[in-house]
Structure formats: C-alpha cells, structure tokens
Amino acid sequence: MTPLPELTARSDALLENARFTTLATQGPGGPWASTVNYVPLREPLRLLWYSLRRAQHSRNIEDDPQVSGSIYLTGLPGLGLDGAQFTATARAVEPDELDELSDWYYERNFPDEQVRREWRLPLDEFRGEGHRRFYLLEIRQWWLLDIDQWLVDKNDQRVAVPLDALSGPRKSADDSTAGAR
C-alpha cells in the first residue's frame, strides 16, 4: 500500500499543477460534464472557478449542489500520468466573499501582474444580474489512481486519501502563505 506522505504529495501536485477539473453535475435534463479552470484553496480543501450563470453546469449546481469530478496530469515521470477523483458540494460565491476570492483566483491563475490585468473581468459581471458567477466546490471525498496496485496487476483502481492530509496550508516559492486561504 502506498504510504500516506506519498499520496499527499501526489494529491498536492495534482491540485497545484493540473489547473483544470472536469465536473459532473446532475440537473433536470440529466447528467452533464464540464471542464473548468480552477485554483485550489485549503482549510477546508476547495476549488474556485468562474462560469457563466447560464452554463448547464451552473444551472445544475443551482438545482443540485452535489457534484463529482476528476483531475489528471499526463507527461509525468514513471507511469506518465496521475489522476484523482472526488465528490463535493458546490455553490455560487456569496457577495461578501467576492472581493477576496476573486483576488485569490486571479493572483493564483495569473501570477504576472500585466497578464492578470489583461484577463481580469469587472466584478460587476459577477454581482446581481451579472452574467457570471464565481463558484466554490468543497471536497468531501478524494481518491487517487492506485499506481502501485496497477503496476502489480494492471487493475484500474483508486485509493482513498484522507481529507485532513490535504487541507493544511501549502507553501510556494514566491508566497509563503500560498494555499492557506
């Protein structure tokens, strides 16, 4: 069995480097999968992204906040890939959270200030009748591809990773508090 520190390190690498997750939502029209560009937050483990309010996954989240998803990376050493699956609860960001969370999203997604200014959308688009919303997804369960077992028997299985191993603050080279939000 893979030791917890290795599972934690692999999970952190996925969360910090993949940047895209495929969300599975359920609505009146049935299931729907959508890929969104996220940034991670910790304590508790959450993913933050924005989407159009009229997007199918946004409408589905309004109807049923229970979601699942996957994150993966390819081109890695060893097996060449790694991936995680999760279950979560998603919701639109509340107006009183918008300033702080939008700052966090843009700072993490676009570290270069010039690029950030080019990509940053006016917050009015995220308020009231604006056509966009930021969304927060709080992870409830997390699994990784069981690479060790796959190397033994080629069975595609998952191994659960305890959330408390993933929720603590993370440090980056350029910000000692990165991920602590």
Side-chain angles (χ1 to χ4, degrees):
M1 180 168 195
T2 307
L4 183 57
E6 183 180 327
L7 295 174
T8 301
R10 286 176 47 207
S11 296
D12 285 341
L14 285 165
L15 286 163
E16 297 298 329
N17 298 306
R19 311 315 274 176
F20 290 90
T21 183
T22 301
L23 296 177
T25 61
Q26 179 73 30
W32 187 256
S34 240
T35 302
V36 298
N37 173 224
Y38 73 88
V39 298
L41 295 97
R42 309 289 180 135
E43 298 180 10
L45 179 58
R46 294 160 293 160
L47 305 181
L48 173 68
W49 78 94
Y50 72 79
S51 291
L52 292 172
R53 288 172 57 196
R54 73 173 188 260
Q56 186 65 54
H57 62 277
S58 299
R59 294 191 323 252
N60 287 353
I61 288 168
E62 290 299 316
D63 288 339
D64 183 353
Q66 306 309 307
V67 301
S68 62
S70 65
I71 297 173
Y72 68 93
L73 287 171
T74 60
L76 300 173
L79 188 59
L81 63 93
D82 203 356
Q85 292 168 284
F86 59 84
T87 60
T89 302
R91 66 173 176 83
V93 165
E94 298 294 334
D96 64 330
E97 303 170 301
L98 183 58
D99 289 339
E100 180 182 0
L101 290 176
S102 66
D103 285 348
W104 179 249
Y105 176 84
Y106 284 110
E107 288 168 13
R108 285 296 305 271
N109 227 358
F110 307 104
D112 181 271
E113 190 174 338
Q114 167 102 18
V115 173
R116 186 167 51 246
R117 277 195 301 267
E118 293 172 14
W119 279 91
R120 189 170 195 125
L121 297 169
L123 284 183
D124 287 347
E125 292 189 20
F126 299 93
R127 290 188 171 111
E129 296 303 313
H131 64 285
R132 299 179 202 276
R133 288 291 179 268
F134 274 96
Y135 293 89
L136 264 178
L137 176 152
E138 187 168 339
I139 306 286
R140 287 193 328 259
Q141 296 174 295
W142 181 266
W143 298 270
L144 283 178
L145 172 63
D146 191 345
I147 292 173
D148 290 346
Q149 191 60 41
W150 189 86
L151 291 171
V152 170
D153 59 18
K154 305 298 187 267
N155 288 333
D156 187 9
Q157 301 175 112
R158 303 295 176 269
V159 59
V161 180
L163 287 183
D164 61 352
L166 307 177
S167 294
R170 298 298 182 262
K171 294 182 180 180
S172 73
D174 57 348
D175 179 6
S176 64
T177 62
R181 290 187 191 196

